[in-house]
Amino acid sequence: MSEQPASDGPEPRPQPETSGVDLARVALRAAKEQARARGAAAQQKKQARRGGLRSGARADGRDPLPLGAAINRLITERGWETPAAVGGVMGRWPQIVGPEVAQHCEPAKYDEDARVLTVQCDSTAWATQLRLLAPQLVARLNGDLGQGTVKLIKVLGPGGPQQRYGRLRAPGSKGPGDTYG
């Protein structure tokens, strides 16, 4: 028995000989590419002599943009999409949580690394209420901003009363630590 070598695919067909018309097409294509390359080089030399690119009739990257488009382009180039979106949420806080909640609770800051939104409330009752509403609020914010933008809402209650030492006190003083800090 004789073994025949296994072929990896169909046997290659013999190439037909190129005729004069095909040769002319190939030569024309090569000549056009060479002319295009010479023209591009000549254009670059001309621009270098003139002192660089000049404005023309067609739009390019140097043309003026409307302010909104320029700001959107800057936000995209710098990677500020998430902070800008969260800043928009802070501006639209009453529409997101409702006017009654917004009257008593306001967003204080957003930690982009931990994805935590800190909210300050004016009473402990509202802080407790917002802690109960936090899961629904996180879902609403992530639906508006994109999934995973806010992972946790940290709710702060009102601050305690200011420490007052003695009957007489200078306005703006922070007590004995004021002189050493």
Side-chain angles (χ1 to χ4, degrees):
M1 288 202 241
S2 66
E3 292 184 24
Q4 294 187 3
S7 63
D8 290 342
E11 290 185 25
R13 292 186 214 159
Q15 293 289 332
E17 290 188 27
T18 54
S19 65
V21 175
D22 293 331
L23 288 174
R25 285 186 184 141
V26 169
L28 179 63
R29 188 177 311 128
K32 283 183 178 180
E33 289 174 7
Q34 290 173 355
R36 196 173 297 123
R38 281 193 310 268
Q43 183 70 21
Q44 287 176 350
K45 283 183 185 178
K46 187 194 287 186
Q47 286 176 352
R49 277 189 305 233
R50 286 193 313 197
L53 291 173
R54 306 275 178 162
S55 285
R58 294 196 172 47
D60 62 5
R62 300 169 294 137
D63 288 340
L65 295 172
L67 182 61
I71 289 173
N72 287 339
R73 182 172 158 186
L74 178 70
I75 287 171
T76 303
E77 287 174 356
R78 301 286 171 104
W80 295 340
E81 290 93 358
T82 302
V86 171
V89 163
M90 291 190 178
R92 294 181 293 122
W93 184 252
Q95 289 88 12
I96 293 173
V97 297
E100 189 176 6
V101 174
Q103 187 177 6
H104 299 283
C105 304
E106 61 183 19
K109 66 179 182 177
Y110 175 72
D111 184 8
E112 188 176 353
D113 296 329
R115 298 180 187 251
V116 174
L117 178 66
T118 304
V119 179
Q120 180 76 45
C121 296
D122 62 1
S123 71
T124 55
W126 277 103
T128 302
Q129 182 67 25
L130 198 66
R131 284 186 189 104
L132 294 173
L133 292 174
Q136 290 93 3
L137 192 55
V138 167
R140 187 180 301 168
L141 288 169
N142 284 332
D144 193 30
L145 299 173
Q147 198 58 31
T149 304
V150 177
K151 291 185 177 179
L152 178 70
I153 294 181
K154 182 178 178 182
V155 180
L156 302 177
Q162 289 186 339
Q163 295 284 337
R164 295 194 162 269
Y165 300 104
R167 291 184 306 128
L168 302 175
R169 181 166 169 79
S173 171
K174 295 179 183 170
D178 199 21
T179 56
Y180 300 106

